[in-house]
Amino acid sequence: LNDLTKAVELTPKNTKYIKKLAEIHIINGNFGDAEILYQKAINIEPREYSHQTDLLNAKKKTEDMEKINGKVKEAAWDDVETLSEQMLNTCLHFSHLKEIYINALFENVKIEKAIDYLKNKVFKLRKKFIHSYQNNKISFKNPLQLNPLSLPVCNSPVAM
């Protein structure tokens, strides 16, 4: 993320870098930042149709997240489960969304589905990280290799 941000700063009219950075923001759940970047790409290349489409998709994700938060406040857990499950397909590292989804599963008394999700999505990714560390693919001596924001995290009390 930092390298790509720097690349955008150094070449501010390179829409490929801008869009790649926006995609990373989408994966991490930073939809507002993605919208700003897609708008920047539109300003640079106003006739490029894909920039418009990407901006609309980012705005849709912002709306979907607002809808999910509204359903959480209403305790409409069936809707929360459905909406958050759909969003998790594109927002792979958005840990707050993972937490919302797991809470919805527990509220809907889908304990086994929640445990399967934790085992297969959250803990499996953590296991891959630990395996990489043990095989010296990741060294804590080089802090540039360890980006805690890219680690899949679930802050749910159930996961602890």
Side-chain angles (χ1 to χ4, degrees), residues 19 38 42 48-60:
K19 288 182 72 166
Y38 287 131
I42 290 169
E48 179 57 47
Y49 178 75
S50 69
H51 302 335
Q52 297 283 344
T53 303
D54 292 335
L55 177 60
L56 290 174
N57 287 334
K59 286 183 176 188
K60 171 88 170 83

mmCIF file of all heavy atoms in Angstrom, residues 19 38 42 48-60:
data_model
loop_
_atom_site.group_PDB
_atom_site.id
_atom_site.type_symbol
_atom_site.label_atom_id
_atom_site.label_comp_id
_atom_site.label_asym_id
_atom_site.label_seq_id
_atom_site.Cartn_x
_atom_site.Cartn_y
_atom_site.Cartn_z
ATOM 1 N N LYS A 19 -5.776 3.475 -10.050
ATOM 2 C CA LYS A 19 -6.835 2.475 -9.958
ATOM 3 C C LYS A 19 -6.413 1.269 -9.112
ATOM 4 O O LYS A 19 -7.223 0.704 -8.374
ATOM 5 C CB LYS A 19 -7.270 2.036 -11.353
ATOM 6 C CG LYS A 19 -8.077 3.136 -12.058
ATOM 7 C CD LYS A 19 -8.556 2.727 -13.410
ATOM 8 C CE LYS A 19 -9.665 1.725 -13.296
ATOM 9 N NZ LYS A 19 -10.414 1.495 -14.512
ATOM 10 N N TYR A 38 -10.848 7.058 -7.717
ATOM 11 C CA TYR A 38 -11.533 6.847 -8.996
ATOM 12 C C TYR A 38 -11.938 8.180 -9.618
ATOM 13 O O TYR A 38 -11.856 8.353 -10.835
ATOM 14 C CB TYR A 38 -12.749 5.932 -8.827
ATOM 15 C CG TYR A 38 -12.384 4.482 -8.597
ATOM 16 C CD1 TYR A 38 -12.956 3.760 -7.556
ATOM 17 C CD2 TYR A 38 -11.471 3.834 -9.419
ATOM 18 C CE1 TYR A 38 -12.634 2.429 -7.348
ATOM 19 C CE2 TYR A 38 -11.137 2.500 -9.212
ATOM 20 C CZ TYR A 38 -11.721 1.811 -8.171
ATOM 21 O OH TYR A 38 -11.395 0.495 -7.980
ATOM 22 N N ILE A 42 -10.933 9.716 -13.279
ATOM 23 C CA ILE A 42 -11.900 10.306 -14.219
ATOM 24 C C ILE A 42 -11.440 11.691 -14.651
ATOM 25 O O ILE A 42 -11.545 12.042 -15.837
ATOM 26 C CB ILE A 42 -13.304 10.379 -13.571
ATOM 27 C CG1 ILE A 42 -13.885 8.977 -13.414
ATOM 28 C CG2 ILE A 42 -14.242 11.272 -14.383
ATOM 29 C CD1 ILE A 42 -15.134 8.903 -12.553
ATOM 30 N N GLU A 48 -12.643 7.623 -20.354
ATOM 31 C CA GLU A 48 -12.445 6.206 -20.050
ATOM 32 C C GLU A 48 -13.632 5.695 -19.242
ATOM 33 O O GLU A 48 -13.803 6.043 -18.077
ATOM 34 C CB GLU A 48 -11.139 5.997 -19.285
ATOM 35 C CG GLU A 48 -10.833 4.573 -18.895
ATOM 36 C CD GLU A 48 -10.789 3.619 -20.066
ATOM 37 O OE1 GLU A 48 -10.141 3.945 -21.082
ATOM 38 O OE2 GLU A 48 -11.412 2.543 -19.965
ATOM 39 N N TYR A 49 -14.431 4.867 -19.876
ATOM 40 C CA TYR A 49 -15.673 4.371 -19.291
ATOM 41 C C TYR A 49 -15.436 3.553 -18.015
ATOM 42 O O TYR A 49 -16.215 3.632 -17.063
ATOM 43 C CB TYR A 49 -16.423 3.529 -20.328
ATOM 44 C CG TYR A 49 -17.698 2.926 -19.819
ATOM 45 C CD1 TYR A 49 -18.833 3.711 -19.646
ATOM 46 C CD2 TYR A 49 -17.773 1.575 -19.493
ATOM 47 C CE1 TYR A 49 -20.014 3.172 -19.165
ATOM 48 C CE2 TYR A 49 -18.945 1.019 -19.006
ATOM 49 C CZ TYR A 49 -20.060 1.826 -18.845
ATOM 50 O OH TYR A 49 -21.215 1.277 -18.364
ATOM 51 N N SER A 50 -14.350 2.797 -17.971
ATOM 52 C CA SER A 50 -14.112 1.922 -16.807
ATOM 53 C C SER A 50 -13.929 2.720 -15.518
ATOM 54 O O SER A 50 -14.280 2.239 -14.437
ATOM 55 C CB SER A 50 -12.910 1.013 -17.049
ATOM 56 O OG SER A 50 -11.711 1.754 -17.078
ATOM 57 N N HIS A 51 -13.407 3.952 -15.627
ATOM 58 C CA HIS A 51 -13.242 4.774 -14.421
ATOM 59 C C HIS A 51 -14.612 5.109 -13.823
ATOM 60 O O HIS A 51 -14.790 5.074 -12.606
ATOM 61 C CB HIS A 51 -12.498 6.067 -14.725
ATOM 62 C CG HIS A 51 -11.134 5.891 -15.325
ATOM 63 N ND1 HIS A 51 -10.361 4.763 -15.165
ATOM 64 C CD2 HIS A 51 -10.401 6.725 -16.107
ATOM 65 C CE1 HIS A 51 -9.214 4.915 -15.810
ATOM 66 N NE2 HIS A 51 -9.216 6.102 -16.386
ATOM 67 N N GLN A 52 -15.563 5.433 -14.691
ATOM 68 C CA GLN A 52 -16.924 5.752 -14.237
ATOM 69 C C GLN A 52 -17.553 4.537 -13.548
ATOM 70 O O GLN A 52 -18.158 4.659 -12.489
ATOM 71 C CB GLN A 52 -17.801 6.166 -15.430
ATOM 72 C CG GLN A 52 -17.347 7.412 -16.144
ATOM 73 C CD GLN A 52 -17.712 8.674 -15.387
ATOM 74 O OE1 GLN A 52 -18.546 8.663 -14.491
ATOM 75 N NE2 GLN A 52 -17.067 9.773 -15.749
ATOM 76 N N THR A 53 -17.393 3.380 -14.174
ATOM 77 C CA THR A 53 -17.948 2.139 -13.624
ATOM 78 C C THR A 53 -17.343 1.835 -12.262
ATOM 79 O O THR A 53 -18.058 1.472 -11.320
ATOM 80 C CB THR A 53 -17.689 0.969 -14.594
ATOM 81 O OG1 THR A 53 -18.249 1.294 -15.860
ATOM 82 C CG2 THR A 53 -18.286 -0.323 -14.079
ATOM 83 N N ASP A 54 -16.029 1.985 -12.158
ATOM 84 C CA ASP A 54 -15.346 1.727 -10.888
ATOM 85 C C ASP A 54 -15.824 2.680 -9.790
ATOM 86 O O ASP A 54 -16.023 2.277 -8.649
ATOM 87 C CB ASP A 54 -13.829 1.835 -11.060
ATOM 88 C CG ASP A 54 -13.256 0.732 -11.929
ATOM 89 O OD1 ASP A 54 -13.884 -0.341 -12.020
ATOM 90 O OD2 ASP A 54 -12.180 0.945 -12.515
ATOM 91 N N LEU A 55 -16.018 3.955 -10.153
ATOM 92 C CA LEU A 55 -16.507 4.931 -9.181
ATOM 93 C C LEU A 55 -17.912 4.557 -8.701
ATOM 94 O O LEU A 55 -18.199 4.598 -7.503
ATOM 95 C CB LEU A 55 -16.502 6.340 -9.767
ATOM 96 C CG LEU A 55 -17.057 7.437 -8.855
ATOM 97 C CD1 LEU A 55 -16.257 7.542 -7.562
ATOM 98 C CD2 LEU A 55 -17.075 8.777 -9.593
ATOM 99 N N LEU A 56 -18.760 4.172 -9.624
ATOM 100 C CA LEU A 56 -20.120 3.765 -9.257
ATOM 101 C C LEU A 56 -20.101 2.540 -8.337
ATOM 102 O O LEU A 56 -20.870 2.458 -7.377
ATOM 103 C CB LEU A 56 -20.954 3.491 -10.496
ATOM 104 C CG LEU A 56 -21.331 4.717 -11.332
ATOM 105 C CD1 LEU A 56 -22.044 4.298 -12.617
ATOM 106 C CD2 LEU A 56 -22.192 5.673 -10.522
ATOM 107 N N ASN A 57 -19.219 1.587 -8.623
ATOM 108 C CA ASN A 57 -19.090 0.393 -7.768
ATOM 109 C C ASN A 57 -18.617 0.759 -6.364
ATOM 110 O O ASN A 57 -19.098 0.199 -5.379
ATOM 111 C CB ASN A 57 -18.158 -0.627 -8.398
ATOM 112 C CG ASN A 57 -18.772 -1.323 -9.591
ATOM 113 O OD1 ASN A 57 -19.989 -1.428 -9.688
ATOM 114 N ND2 ASN A 57 -17.938 -1.783 -10.503
ATOM 115 N N ALA A 58 -17.673 1.688 -6.268
ATOM 116 C CA ALA A 58 -17.185 2.126 -4.951
ATOM 117 C C ALA A 58 -18.306 2.828 -4.180
ATOM 118 O O ALA A 58 -18.480 2.600 -2.975
ATOM 119 C CB ALA A 58 -15.982 3.055 -5.104
ATOM 120 N N LYS A 59 -19.081 3.651 -4.877
ATOM 121 C CA LYS A 59 -20.210 4.336 -4.224
ATOM 122 C C LYS A 59 -21.249 3.319 -3.759
ATOM 123 O O LYS A 59 -21.840 3.471 -2.683
ATOM 124 C CB LYS A 59 -20.837 5.351 -5.169
ATOM 125 C CG LYS A 59 -19.985 6.590 -5.351
ATOM 126 C CD LYS A 59 -20.655 7.617 -6.224
ATOM 127 C CE LYS A 59 -19.787 8.862 -6.292
ATOM 128 N NZ LYS A 59 -20.453 9.964 -6.953
ATOM 129 N N LYS A 60 -21.454 2.276 -4.540
ATOM 130 C CA LYS A 60 -22.407 1.219 -4.171
ATOM 131 C C LYS A 60 -21.941 0.514 -2.901
ATOM 132 O O LYS A 60 -22.731 0.213 -2.010
ATOM 133 C CB LYS A 60 -22.539 0.225 -5.327
ATOM 134 C CG LYS A 60 -23.326 -1.032 -5.008
ATOM 135 C CD LYS A 60 -24.800 -0.861 -5.259
ATOM 136 C CE LYS A 60 -25.566 -2.150 -5.183
ATOM 137 N NZ LYS A 60 -25.936 -2.560 -3.861
#
